Amino acid sequence: MTVQVRRAQPGAPLLIRASDWNAIGDAVSRVGAVDSLGIGRAGGRSVVLRAINADDNPAIPVGGIVELDEPAGTEAEVAGTGERPSRPVGTAVKVKRPTGSSRRRRFGVALDGIAERQTGRVMTMGVAWCRVTYSDDAHEFAIPADGQYEANSAHAGPLRILGTGYATGTRWAWCEVDPAFAVRRTLAEISGNAANGDNRFRYGGSEVEGDGSAVTDGLVWTTTAGEELENRLEINNAATGRQGNQIDLDADSGSSTFTFLAVADGTIVEVSIFADDDGTVRSQFSVPNGITVACS
């Protein structure tokens, strides 16, 4: 339906048909996938909060990635030094530079430039223009960089990069913000392993589809530290005592000797990819290890 909009004379009565009003409302609800600041709304589900830069942080730029700190109850509380914000805060949330100090941390993107102890808008879910440093052009996610208002590319993280093929280096990119992206799940086929202590291994592998076929340009893991797949059931293994899935294999073995086996090549495993507090990205699966036994 087309509605012709004409300017009204100041002071004149405004008469509008209900069908015209509803049509305008429908049009407004569909407008603005991207607003004037270049901020997108993911399916109309963007979440924007009033926030205050309250902890003597440098000014937050538009597009700056911030960590949500805590709710701010009163002007005196959030101002810290007694200085009043530029406007009433109400139920604003404190924001700061990402620090990596809490596993439960949540992030947002500033829609306004926010000076010290001033307020502005921060989006905690939706699509925004962010500054990302790419270390690998295959990365599809990003993790906020500690002490900065930017992010580093990764295989998993709370920011999903929209688009692929970005060259390595620091550049602007569209990113979708959603806490659900902090953990990514996929499938991998094990190929190779290397010892990583007693009864522990680093695994190599490659990303596969649900039917076991290779993923084009998929993820690849190696047996090199920092690039490996880890089996969660091996994490606390030791030479004696806990040796497999937290079980002391030799405790009641009598004269038998057990040998702990790595997960076999060709095994398809479900992989969870996530980031530790310090930004370390881990790729882990859970598969019980096999054993062999020799009786004397």
Side-chain angles (χ1 to χ4, degrees):
M1 177 179 181
T2 301
V3 179
Q4 185 175 1
V5 180
R6 295 184 296 271
R7 293 183 63 83
Q9 292 295 326
L14 179 62
L15 301 176
I16 184 170
R17 294 180 301 178
S19 57
D20 290 346
W21 176 261
N22 292 337
I24 292 172
D26 291 341
V28 169
S29 69
R30 294 191 296 268
V31 169
V34 178
D35 71 11
S36 61
L37 290 174
I39 306 302
R41 296 182 298 180
R45 295 184 297 110
S46 61
V47 177
V48 179
L49 303 177
R50 175 67 62 78
I52 183 166
N53 180 2
D55 294 323
D56 295 321
N57 293 310
I60 301 169
V62 174
I65 299 168
V66 296
E67 182 177 345
L68 277 62
D69 193 0
E70 61 184 62
T74 66
E75 290 184 0
E77 176 187 352
V78 297
T81 63
E83 297 181 28
R84 293 174 64 86
S86 59
R87 54 184 180 270
V89 176
T91 55
V93 63
K94 288 183 182 179
V95 293
K96 61 183 181 180
R97 286 174 292 178
T99 61
S101 60
S102 172
R103 181 171 296 279
R104 295 185 298 275
R105 59 186 178 156
R106 293 293 181 262
F107 302 97
V109 179
L111 307 190
D112 304 311
I114 310 176
E116 294 180 28
R117 290 186 288 277
Q118 303 302 308
T119 60
R121 297 173 300 158
V122 167
M123 185 182 66
T124 59
M125 181 177 290
V127 178
W129 193 234
C130 303
R131 195 162 175 80
V132 178
T133 297
Y134 291 85
S135 58
D136 188 327
D137 59 10
H139 287 167
E140 300 175 11
F141 296 83
I143 299 173
D146 285 352
Q148 302 180 46
Y149 293 130
E150 302 178 357
N152 295 320
S153 67
H155 285 308
L159 306 175
R160 183 172 67 178
I161 301 167
L162 303 184
T164 59
Y166 290 97
T168 56
T170 302
R171 61 196 71 255
W172 289 91
W174 287 108
C175 294
E176 185 173 1
V177 184
D178 192 327
F181 298 147
V183 177
R184 176 188 177 189
R185 291 182 172 84
T186 188
L187 298 177
E189 180 177 354
I190 300 296
S191 58
N193 65 80
N196 184 29
D198 294 311
N199 299 312
R200 299 193 302 273
F201 302 90
R202 295 189 180 98
Y203 295 92
S206 56
E207 190 174 15
V208 296
E209 304 283 6
D211 61 0
S213 61
V215 173
T216 302
D217 296 326
L219 302 179
V220 175
W221 296 269
T222 73
T223 57
T224 302
E227 301 177 3
E228 77 272 32
L229 287 166
E230 299 174 301
N231 189 355
R232 287 182 181 143
L233 302 186
E234 301 172 3
I235 289 175
N236 289 324
N237 287 350
T240 59
R242 293 175 298 193
Q243 299 164 303
N245 197 14
Q246 314 309 309
I247 298 172
D248 186 351
L249 298 177
D250 296 324
D252 299 310
S253 63
S255 59
S256 301
T257 300
F258 288 88
T259 301
F260 188 87
L261 300 178
V263 177
D265 289 357
T267 303
I268 304 295
V269 297
E270 181 177 359
V271 180
S272 294
I273 309 172
F274 60 94
D276 287 343
D277 282 347
D278 61 2
T280 300
V281 176
R282 296 188 181 278
S283 300
Q284 295 186 338
F285 63 91
S286 295
V287 172
N289 299 81
I291 57 172
T292 60
V293 58
C295 299
S296 56

